[in-house]
Amino acid sequence: MSQVIFFIAAIGVISGAVGVVMLRNPFYAVLALVAHLLSLAVLFLLLRAEFVAAIQVVIYAGAVMVLYVFVVAYVGDQTQPLGERIGAPGAVGSRLRLGGLLLAGALVVELLIALLGTGLQAIDGKGAGYTPGPQAFGTPAYIGKLLLTRFLLAFEVASFLLLIAAVGGVVLARRRHGLDEQEEEDLLVPMDLLRPGSAGTMAEGVGRR
Amino acid sequence: MTAAAPLAIVGYYEPWWIQIIKAIVIFAVGLQLVPVVLIAERKLLGRFQGRYGPNRVGPYGALQPLADILKLLTKEQFRPTTSVGFLFALAPTISILTAVAAFAIIPFGDTQDIFGTKVGLYGLDVSIGPLYLFAFGAVAFYGIMLGGWSSGSKYSFLGAMRGAAQLISYEVSQGLALVGVIFTAQTLSLTGIVTAQKGMWYFIPQFFGFLVFLVAGFAETNRAPFDLTEADAELVGGYNTEFGGGRFASYYFAEYLNVLVVSGIVTTVFLGGWLLPFGIHPPGWVDPIVVLLKMSLITFLFIWVRATLPRLRYDQLMSFGWKVLLPLATLNTLVTAIVVVATH
């Protein structure tokens, strides 16, 4: 049973990953990434890491990919496939191709080092033993205990990094505003004249006045 | 028994045939509850608005939902020429699957002895509890999003986009509202949370968590006053504008099942699940009835709110979610954490 599920999920993972790279329409590429992440969650479940599986779905498929889908559905146009710039002749296209090849080569070397170093030895192993229970491996209680004892420093540093990134995002977004105040005022005044006195304004809603 | 139940961590393993029976029973119960909620909503909305509501089909109009379902299922399947075929068919399926899957974790009672085997009156009792719910909630988003996008219509697309922004905004508050309960109960398992409420139901010590969860629940299920994804006055029908027949019925079914799921989770987490107040211990077969009664109370609240409150403006919805609900939920979590640490 677990073998069958493993192979179904593995096919999903690999075809999803291939789809992200191969599909020309950005919207389908994002959907392929979603399928990849969901299949990965199934693999985590098979490894008894139910907490990681749930977080994988909630954070990646739920939050991160929602933003991707949001942006691509708004901005991405079906009539302009992604491949055009890379396939284009001339200086830009060939440089992009060269850069892509270099990065892919670096990734292959890195993966080979990792595989030959430790990955091959792990294939013959049986993995950690499993006993069901509230404190078992992979449960939230077990992970929480590890995060607050053994990996406390790494956990805190990572959360600070995320906090800094979030604050940085807000600061950068504030610096770039669309219309300047006067221009915005001119746009809004005619709208105010047209509206009945009892109705609210959009500007009011976003806290402008 | 290695691969049969990777999700379950309860102290025992149920035999495989019990798990199959439970899956069928849960699906059947969910399927039967939806028409009941449908007719209850239409009758109650009628009463709230000073009219009778449906009263032609069957006694007191009780067979109206069956007539509606039959009508929808026998309709021709069609789709707009601008739509994307397989996504258009897939999207309602995702919605309905995730709704039914989320329904599986609602505990309807303690473990009972049935034919000499111990059976828990729930689909599964996962060690990750509410996270399971949020995981399926995250996937359910794609049902709405893909439905709106693949229709190839502007109104559907706008509805889907609103749905996307609304769901990720309110999911955060909803999750944070439950953290206080988890701190107090010291477990993520939903049956564990129910048994931890033996002394006092959590809606008293966790009143703000209860309020925030309920309000965010209205938004997550796209119900009034947060039904901006389908806002019929502005967007025709929102993400399901182009859907008809069985596919529309799937969306409709999923929406009402989601209402039931939120009612069930509120019942379990804040209203003591199958427990009765004043230390009354009825026999085991009463448990599901207690849970269903409490669920119908919350569902009634959903209908009541729909009949009472007008729809929010979109910017009000966003600022309410981020500026009121989220700080309130965070504060609730913080205060609960301090109290729990101080009293332990």
Side-chain angles (χ1 to χ4, degrees):
Chain A
M1 187 67 180
S2 62
Q3 273 89 354
V4 176
I5 297 176
F6 171 80
F7 278 107
I8 294 172
I11 290 169
V13 167
I14 292 171
S15 56
V18 170
V20 177
V21 185
M22 300 298 285
L23 285 170
R24 282 298 171 93
N25 186 331
F27 193 80
Y28 291 146
V30 171
L31 287 189
L33 190 50
V34 174
H36 167 80
L37 291 171
L38 291 181
S39 318
L40 213 55
V42 174
L43 287 186
F44 280 135
L45 268 188
L46 283 176
L47 292 172
R48 310 250 177 220
E50 46 217 49
F51 182 73
V52 182
I55 290 300
Q56 167 92 4
V57 176
V58 173
I59 303 290
Y60 284 99
V64 177
M65 294 318 293
V66 166
L67 288 180
Y68 277 39
V69 171
F70 205 85
V71 171
V72 170
Y74 259 131
V75 182
D77 194 347
Q78 284 184 65
T79 51
Q80 276 188 338
L82 270 182
E84 247 169 40
R85 269 184 70 201
I86 298 173
V92 180
S94 62
R95 258 180 230 161
L96 277 175
R97 272 194 295 264
L98 194 66
L101 275 178
L102 274 177
L103 281 178
L107 193 64
V108 166
V109 171
E110 198 182 322
L111 281 178
L112 280 179
I113 291 170
L115 268 180
L116 295 175
T118 54
L120 284 181
Q121 295 163 9
I123 285 178
D124 289 332
K126 288 273 180 195
Y130 180 77
T131 41
Q135 298 280 322
F137 174 81
T139 57
Y142 184 83
I143 290 173
K145 200 173 274 174
L146 279 185
L147 281 183
L148 290 179
T149 52
R150 201 170 142 197
F151 300 111
L152 182 63
L153 185 67
F155 180 60
E156 290 297 326
V157 168
S159 61
F160 260 104
L161 187 68
L162 285 176
L163 190 66
I164 291 165
V167 173
V170 172
V171 169
L172 284 177
R174 276 190 75 91
R175 198 185 289 163
R176 238 184 272 159
H177 47 82
L179 299 162
D180 62 80
E181 290 292 319
Q182 188 54 45
E183 207 173 331
E184 200 168 8
E185 201 82 352
D186 293 345
L187 273 175
L188 287 171
V189 165
M191 287 188 216
D192 282 353
L193 288 178
L194 287 174
R195 88 188 149 87
S198 56
T201 61
M202 207 64 180
E204 209 171 71
V206 293
R208 279 289 184 177
R209 67 186 68 177
Chain B
M1 276 293 103
T2 48
L7 276 171
I9 64 113
V10 279
Y12 57 94
Y13 282 112
E14 285 157 345
W16 60 272
W17 52 274
I18 291 268
Q19 290 182 355
I20 290 174
I21 291 173
K22 278 203 318 196
I24 294 168
V25 167
I26 283 163
F27 193 76
V29 167
L31 213 65
Q32 302 313 311
L33 280 176
V34 168
V36 177
V37 178
L38 271 175
I39 186 69
E41 168 157 53
R42 291 190 59 184
K43 280 298 237 190
L44 282 169
L45 277 184
R47 290 293 169 183
F48 279 123
Q49 295 162 355
R51 55 189 173 84
Y52 287 112
N55 60 357
R56 295 288 149 182
V57 191
Y60 303 104
L63 297 179
Q64 184 68 44
L66 289 183
D68 284 347
I69 291 166
L70 266 182
K71 181 198 77 176
L72 284 171
L73 290 184
T74 48
K75 269 186 170 179
E76 184 192 353
Q77 295 282 334
F78 63 91
R79 63 184 187 84
T81 44
T82 47
S83 63
V84 180
F86 76 99
L87 287 181
F88 195 75
L90 180 72
T93 322
I94 295 176
S95 272
I96 206 164
L97 274 179
T98 50
V100 174
F103 196 71
I105 55 162
I106 295 171
F108 282 95
D110 216 343
T111 41
Q112 315 281 349
D113 276 322
I114 299 177
F115 307 130
T117 18
K118 280 176 111 187
V119 180
L121 294 184
Y122 38 75
L124 67 173
D125 181 20
V126 282
S127 66
I128 49 176
L131 285 172
Y132 173 95
L133 180 79
F134 291 124
F136 277 103
V139 181
F141 152 80
Y142 289 100
I144 288 175
M145 174 72 216
L146 292 181
W149 187 82
S150 65
S151 297
S153 135
K154 286 194 179 70
Y155 292 117
S156 304
F157 181 66
L158 282 174
M161 280 305 164
R162 285 181 173 189
Q166 182 178 330
L167 284 182
I168 48 175
S169 304
Y170 281 79
E171 200 175 30
V172 184
S173 314
Q174 207 184 14
L176 272 177
L178 281 186
V179 172
V181 169
I182 293 161
F183 281 162
T184 323
Q186 313 256 318
T187 176
L188 273 166
S189 145
L190 286 179
T191 48
I193 289 175
V194 171
T195 41
Q197 295 179 67
K198 279 234 166 75
M200 188 194 286
W201 296 356
Y202 280 151
F203 87 102
I204 300 170
Q206 285 289 322
F207 188 66
F208 286 103
F210 172 66
L211 280 188
V212 170
F213 187 84
L214 204 60
V215 173
F218 284 129
E220 286 287 303
T221 49
N222 299 323
R223 294 278 301 182
F226 302 112
D227 57 344
L228 280 120
T229 47
E230 36 197 300
D232 25 17
E234 308 155 29
L235 294 181
V236 189
Y239 65 95
N240 57 22
T241 304
E242 308 293 343
F243 286 86
R247 288 172 187 155
F248 176 73
S250 311
Y251 270 133
Y252 217 61
F253 180 90
E255 184 184 327
Y256 281 89
L257 200 55
N258 279 327
V259 169
L260 283 169
V261 168
V262 171
S263 308
I265 296 293
V266 169
T267 304
T268 308
V269 172
F270 294 105
L271 297 183
W274 61 83
L275 300 176
L276 282 171
F278 313 120
I280 304 169
H281 286 294
W285 57 268
V286 185
D287 289 353
I289 301 173
V290 174
V291 174
L292 280 176
L293 278 179
K294 287 178 179 174
M295 273 171 73
S296 57
L297 252 164
I298 304 291
T299 312
F300 175 73
L301 191 69
F302 266 86
I303 298 164
W304 191 3
V305 166
R306 180 179 170 186
T308 310
L309 294 178
R311 184 177 298 130
L312 266 74
R313 214 170 54 207
Y314 189 69
D315 58 290
Q316 289 173 334
L317 172 94
M318 279 295 138
S319 54
F320 179 70
W322 289 108
K323 292 181 188 165
V324 179
L325 225 48
L326 186 62
L328 206 60
T330 316
L331 205 65
N332 179 51
T333 310
L334 198 68
V335 171
T336 314
I338 292 170
V339 170
V340 167
V341 170
T343 52
H344 260 265

